[in-house]
Amino acid sequence: MDPNKQALLVLLVAALSFEGAHCIKCFDCTSVNNSMCLDPTVYDAETLQKYLPSVECHAGLFTAATHEDFFCRKIVQAVLHKNHDSEVRVTRGCGYVRHRKDCYKADNEDHLETVCQCFKDDCNGAATLRNVGVAATVLTAAAVLGLSFKL
């Protein structure tokens, strides 16, 4: 076989067998700095792109994560203040250490939180995650506050 044709064939096979890297895109925000982070589903695509754009998740300098390891995460916290009303904070971003459950709750001394993970572009702004996370955290916070006032 002609050396040029052989080289072209090798390049063609290599190009066809190469799997491109895909980075998942996630909303990356906190409601402390951007109130749109509380519920991105109420905004149109143009407004979201301008004020709450998605980011591509990339491995940081100190992580061993690959592009396939990343996912989107949403954290809803009910922060319990002793001397004034509690507040709800939402944080959305990329993650790379997966939990065995898609959503789980954590009950800490000064806050309650619901953490959800998902695996499609911009899924951490989805209504399903919002309903599970916010409702569960707010109901749990209300129950804890109700119990604490009775003690």
Side-chain angles (χ1 to χ4, degrees):
M1 179 182 267
D2 181 329
N4 289 337
K5 287 182 181 178
Q6 188 175 13
L8 184 59
L9 181 63
V10 168
L11 284 174
L12 181 62
V13 169
L16 291 175
S17 63
F18 177 75
E19 185 178 323
H22 169 73
C23 295
I24 190 169
K25 292 173 60 176
C26 303
F27 287 108
D28 186 38
C29 61
T30 177
S31 62
V32 173
N33 299 331
N34 186 343
S35 62
M36 288 179 66
C37 193
L38 287 169
D39 188 3
T41 62
V42 300
Y43 301 97
D44 61 84
E46 183 179 335
T47 303
L48 285 175
Q49 187 174 13
K50 188 173 183 180
Y51 298 107
L52 195 67
S54 296
V55 296
E56 287 190 8
C57 301
H58 295 288
L61 294 174
F62 302 107
T63 67
T66 65
H67 293 295
E68 293 81 24
D69 292 331
F70 286 98
F71 58 91
C72 297
R73 178 184 292 147
K74 176 182 168 186
I75 303 169
V76 179
Q77 295 178 316
V79 181
L80 309 171
H81 300 291
K82 290 186 180 193
N83 298 326
H84 55 87
D85 293 338
S86 61
E87 65 179 299
V88 174
R89 295 180 185 169
V90 177
T91 304
R92 301 170 194 273
C94 301
Y96 67 92
V97 177
R98 294 184 182 191
H99 193 273
R100 59 183 169 80
K101 295 180 180 179
D102 285 344
C103 289
Y104 62 93
K105 296 176 188 170
D107 184 357
N108 298 302
E109 185 176 318
D110 62 346
H111 70 279
L112 306 169
E113 67 183 22
T114 300
V115 181
C116 293
Q117 59 193 18
C118 56
F119 308 96
K120 295 181 182 176
D121 285 345
D122 296 331
C123 60
N124 62 341
T128 54
L129 282 181
R130 180 193 72 224
N131 292 341
V132 168
V134 173
T137 302
V138 170
L139 288 174
T140 305
V144 168
L145 288 173
L147 290 174
S148 66
F149 284 115
K150 289 181 181 180
L151 296 176

